[in-house]
Amino acid sequence: MNQATTTDMSNTEKWQSLDTAHHLHPFTSHKDLLQKPPRIIESATGVYLTDSDGNELLDMMAGLWCVNMGYGRQELIDAASSQIQQLPYYNAFFKTSTPPAAELSALLSEVAPAHINHTFFTSSGSEANDTVLRLVWRYWDILGKPEKRVVISRKNAYHGSTIAASSLGGMDDMHAQGGIIPDVVHVEQPNWFAKRCELGTDLDREEFGRQAAQSIADKIEELGADKVAAFIAEPIQGAGGVIVPPDSYWPEVKRICEHYGILLIADEVICGFGRTGEWFGTDYYDLKPDLMPIAKGLSSGYLPIGGVLVADHVMDLLTTRGGELNHGYTYSGHPVCAAVAIANIQLMQRENIVQTVRESTAPYLQKRLRELGDHPLVGEVRGVGMFGALELVADKENYIKFDKDLGVGGICRDHCFDNGIIMRAVGDAMIISPPLVLQAADIDVFIERAWKCLDLTHKAIT
Ligand code: PXG
């Protein structure tokens, strides 16, 4: 059994020792955990977390890009509690449904773009992207073009962690542990800053945006349009480092997808539910996608629920010619998760949060974030809505990055944790994606602490 011995320990030590002895963590080096045990987060209210030693942390990552309406919202707690008493579980298979699954699908049609009126439910974004693959392949099968199989994605994209979803993603480290499935290929990401640093010479942002879009057309030409089924992308890449594409990028991508007759899939798992200051990232860029995977902000992360929003023309085809869809999960449309998602969307509507983000919080956050660009370590500040990134560089005048082995982003992240803020490090980019309910006063606290952490990082590496 090998139970850790826990007598005579503080609570923190007890939980750390149990965790280190028995918990296999996602995206974590366990050798590192043996050196430094995990910080235990014990409770939270609003935009602040409390760890097991009583330290308060301003959560500028909304958990993992999901707790959009903040912690401790009574409406969500009550929705879970009353639904779990009424009906804790029933499924959506074989011609049954539940009131929450039916009502949530209708509510999603209300907030989704006008051409989308159906949802397939999952428990996560990864399952949503597995579902996307199934639907894309089914779509072309029904149309009598089964040879249209290839899905084009982008380098450094993140679409989840199952084998299919990580194949769709463009993370080399993930592909190195399991490979990728056939029929998925990757093209250039619209990361102007990375390209500018790599080239070491001036690079016109909009011209680069068009080139990145052109790499999709080139790939379609190379493979043949009769082989290509779809293009998938996050409107703004999240886990890849908050990559805001040049303005020229999305209109051109949209044109290319239409021109070659391939489906456009907008992964809204992070961008969805208000993060850009619109309900969806596709509203922000006016994309009109055929499929939209969602998760995270759908329930503000309170319970696991995701899904795929399906455009009317795809749904019509599935209905009239698709027969039975041989796909589904035990927890598709889980009534308790769906009840919480309904309460979350209704809370967003009641508090007018999307409009508040667009007109007030996001402009203030973006303005103050840009002030951090004056710090000697910060080579670029970027962001849209309640998304932001600070690129830490060795030489900001000449766009020279730090040696990867120095782990500057990780050093900065540790200073953030020790000084009461949570930022995520993607390489040397410091990322924020805070709860949408963040207030101006919280933003002021963040900027003050972030500046201090940048100073501490600077000191630690010079
Ligand atoms: N699509 C996108 C765009 C995501 O960001 C997924 C799909 C998968 O969702 P699930 O619910 O299966 O995790 C995600 C998830 C990080 C990080 O380190 C990002 C995610 C998940 C875990 C860590 O930034 N995004």
Side-chain angles (χ1 to χ4, degrees):
M1 248 291 244
N2 192 23
Q3 284 284 344
T5 313
T6 56
T7 39
D8 302 328
M9 287 177 171
S10 71
N11 273 342
T12 299
E13 287 167 340
K14 183 187 77 185
W15 288 319
Q16 286 176 332
S17 118
L18 291 173
D19 196 88
T20 309
H22 303 291
H23 185 178
L24 176 55
H25 285 251
F27 284 92
T28 300
S29 154
H30 277 259
K31 212 169 171 188
D32 290 353
L33 270 193
L34 293 178
Q35 309 289 320
K36 191 173 178 201
R39 187 184 287 264
I40 309 290
I41 304 298
E42 208 184 347
S43 62
T45 340
V47 296
Y48 282 88
L49 302 163
T50 306
D51 74 11
S52 53
D53 293 328
N55 298 305
E56 277 208 328
L57 295 155
L58 175 55
D59 183 8
M60 292 300 286
M61 279 306 298
L64 209 47
W65 321 78
C66 54
V67 188
N68 289 0
M69 294 306 284
Y71 297 92
R73 302 306 300 257
Q74 198 57 44
E75 295 86 342
L76 306 198
I77 298 162
D78 290 346
S81 155
S82 87
Q83 184 59 44
I84 211 164
Q85 291 179 56
Q86 172 89 17
L87 179 71
Y89 176 77
Y90 202 72
N91 64 74
F93 283 52
F94 318 132
K95 300 186 188 170
T96 59
S97 192
T98 61
E103 286 173 19
L104 178 59
S105 59
L107 192 53
L108 282 166
S109 305
E110 201 183 289
V111 297
H115 70 291
I116 293 183
N117 290 287
H118 287 81
T119 306
F120 183 95
F121 290 112
T122 68
S123 301
S124 69
S126 300
E127 286 179 1
N129 279 316
D130 271 42
T131 302
V132 158
L133 265 186
R134 176 90 69 188
L135 291 177
V136 165
W137 287 337
R138 190 76 198 106
Y139 175 87
W140 290 115
D141 260 354
I142 298 171
L143 284 176
K145 296 184 177 176
E147 67 287 356
K148 267 173 101 70
R149 292 273 302 180
V150 176
V151 178
I152 300 177
S153 179
R154 304 182 297 180
K155 292 175 186 152
N156 210 29
Y158 191 82
H159 296 297
S161 196
T162 57
I163 297 294
S166 64
S167 299
L168 286 173
M171 300 288 179
D172 291 342
D173 291 353
M174 295 179 82
H175 297 164
Q177 295 182 3
I180 65 174
I181 61 170
D183 299 321
V184 178
V185 297
H186 299 88
V187 297
E188 177 98 72
Q189 58 166 337
N191 186 344
W192 177 85
F193 187 79
K195 196 71 178 180
R196 172 66 186 80
C197 293
E198 185 191 313
L199 289 178
T201 55
D202 272 348
L203 175 66
D204 182 80
R205 201 177 148 81
E206 299 312 319
E207 180 51 31
F208 170 69
R210 280 185 288 277
Q211 278 169 23
Q214 182 59 33
S215 71
I216 303 164
D218 293 347
K219 185 56 83 178
I220 297 171
E221 289 288 344
E222 178 195 322
L223 298 167
D226 56 335
K227 299 280 189 298
V228 180
F231 172 68
I232 182 168
E234 306 149 74
I236 293 169
Q237 276 184 340
V242 180
I243 309 302
V244 183
D247 291 343
S248 58
Y249 181 74
W250 271 117
E252 191 54 16
V253 172
K254 204 172 143 190
R255 191 193 63 74
I256 289 167
C257 289
E258 276 163 17
H259 175 78
Y260 287 102
I262 66 169
L263 296 174
L264 173 59
I265 301 146
D267 185 335
E268 293 275 3
V269 168
I270 284 180
C271 291
F273 301 96
R275 185 143 302 280
T276 62
E278 300 291 341
W279 272 93
F280 294 96
T282 49
D283 300 323
Y284 186 82
Y285 288 114
D286 187 28
L287 297 185
K288 307 229 166 29
D290 303 295
L291 298 170
M292 276 167 49
I294 54 172
K296 294 191 189 271
L298 169 57
S299 64
S300 280
Y302 278 49
L303 283 177
I305 181 164
V308 182
L309 301 182
V310 182
D312 292 343
H313 78 99
V314 178
M315 193 60 211
D316 286 348
L317 192 70
L318 289 171
T319 308
T320 54
R321 294 165 60 187
E324 184 169 321
L325 179 66
N326 299 324
H327 181 75
Y329 307 102
T330 302
Y331 300 126
S332 287
H334 191 289
V336 184
C337 303
V340 169
I342 292 168
N344 181 59
I345 294 174
Q346 287 174 339
L347 187 62
M348 291 179 70
Q349 290 174 321
R350 225 171 22 253
E351 296 195 348
N352 235 336
I353 191 75
V354 179
Q355 190 183 348
T356 305
V357 163
R358 182 173 59 243
E359 292 176 2
S360 164
T361 330
Y364 187 64
L365 175 68
Q366 294 300 332
K367 175 175 148 282
R368 295 240 43 208
L369 197 62
R370 300 270 169 326
E371 292 170 20
L372 298 173
D374 292 338
H375 194 279
L377 271 188
V378 178
E380 185 187 59
V381 182
R382 57 177 179 261
V384 157
M386 300 297 273
F387 261 132
L390 309 170
E391 285 279 356
L392 309 187
V393 291
D395 176 350
K396 63 195 280 179
E397 305 308 321
N398 297 301
Y399 292 85
I400 297 173
K401 290 192 172 194
F402 285 108
D403 185 336
K404 263 193 188 150
D405 294 342
L406 285 174
V408 175
I411 294 171
C412 185
R413 183 201 47 221
D414 289 348
H415 282 303
C416 290
F417 258 110
D418 292 342
N419 287 278
I421 46 172
I422 294 185
M423 283 205 262
R424 162 140 161 52
V426 176
D428 292 339
M430 302 309 297
I431 304 305
I432 57 164
S433 173
L436 307 184
V437 293
L438 199 74
Q439 305 279 309
D442 306 317
I443 294 171
D444 294 340
V445 169
F446 163 65
I447 297 294
E448 191 191 318
R449 292 184 188 176
W451 191 276
K452 179 177 173 197
C453 295
L454 290 169
D455 276 349
L456 288 167
T457 306
H458 202 196
K459 219 189 251 168
I461 59 171
T462 44

